[in-house]
Amino acid sequence: MSAPSAPRAIVRKPKNLTKERMEAIAALIVKDGLLAVRAAALCGVSERAHYEWMQKGKVDSDGDNNLNSIYAEYVLAIHQAEAHIQQSWMREIREHDGVRWQRLAWLLERRFRDEFSLFHGKEKKEETPANTVVIVTDGAQAAI
């Protein structure tokens, strides 16, 4: 009797960037407010592939929306989807009062930190002698 063979490793090929996949990722960002990397994961794209596509797209784009590759189109589609969700949340805040605006403001502050957070700057963790972790920011409170 022969020894059982070792389980075979599953090797998956990286997903290719297609217009359909790009549109599906952008739609998830707009519909559900997901981060691009999470929307990509739901479409079967690894985190590594997403960031590689973003990097390639930034290199391929000349900054004037001249799209020199599908990767440059991907970067533009992601940015447009994020702008769309930001616009949607801002519109809802302006048009509605009550508790709903606070929830949306909270989402904006955390999702678009550079634009909406009261505090800005790099955060770093420091340990005190009592082994507690303190988060320290280099920036100060933003002017209102």
Side-chain angles (χ1 to χ4, degrees):
M1 204 168 174
S2 65
S5 61
R8 293 176 30 148
I10 297 174
V11 178
R12 295 192 175 137
K13 294 182 180 178
K15 298 285 185 180
N16 293 329
L17 178 57
T18 62
K19 291 215 183 243
E20 294 79 19
R21 187 166 283 117
M22 180 183 349
E23 290 169 2
I25 292 168
L28 283 171
I29 294 169
V30 171
K31 179 180 171 240
D32 297 327
L34 293 176
L35 294 174
V37 68
R38 301 294 179 249
L42 285 175
C43 293
V45 176
S46 71
E47 186 174 332
R48 182 177 179 180
H50 163 74
Y51 286 118
E52 285 177 2
W53 295 349
M54 291 295 288
Q55 185 61 37
K56 287 179 184 178
K58 289 174 185 173
V59 170
D60 292 349
S61 178
D62 64 5
D64 290 329
N65 285 343
N66 293 330
L67 306 176
N68 301 324
S69 72
I70 192 163
Y71 302 107
E73 290 180 40
Y74 182 68
V75 171
L76 181 61
I78 297 298
H79 288 214
Q80 286 176 333
E82 289 174 341
H84 182 76
I85 194 69
Q86 185 178 357
Q87 176 190 30
S88 174
W89 291 346
M90 291 293 294
R91 183 180 301 128
E92 285 190 53
I93 288 172
R94 283 192 311 273
E95 293 174 357
H96 296 91
D97 47 334
V99 178
R100 182 164 169 78
W101 77 268
Q102 292 171 329
R103 182 174 58 103
L104 292 169
W106 181 88
L107 286 168
L108 283 167
E109 181 181 6
R110 279 147 184 86
R111 174 78 185 271
F112 303 102
R113 186 176 302 250
D114 292 342
E115 297 173 57
F116 294 99
S117 179
L118 289 176
F119 297 94
H120 59 281
K122 294 182 180 176
E123 292 182 351
K124 58 184 175 184
K125 293 182 180 178
E126 294 182 359
E127 289 194 30
T128 65
N131 291 329
T132 58
V133 176
V134 178
I135 297 180
V136 180
T137 60
D138 292 335
Q141 187 170 0
I144 298 176

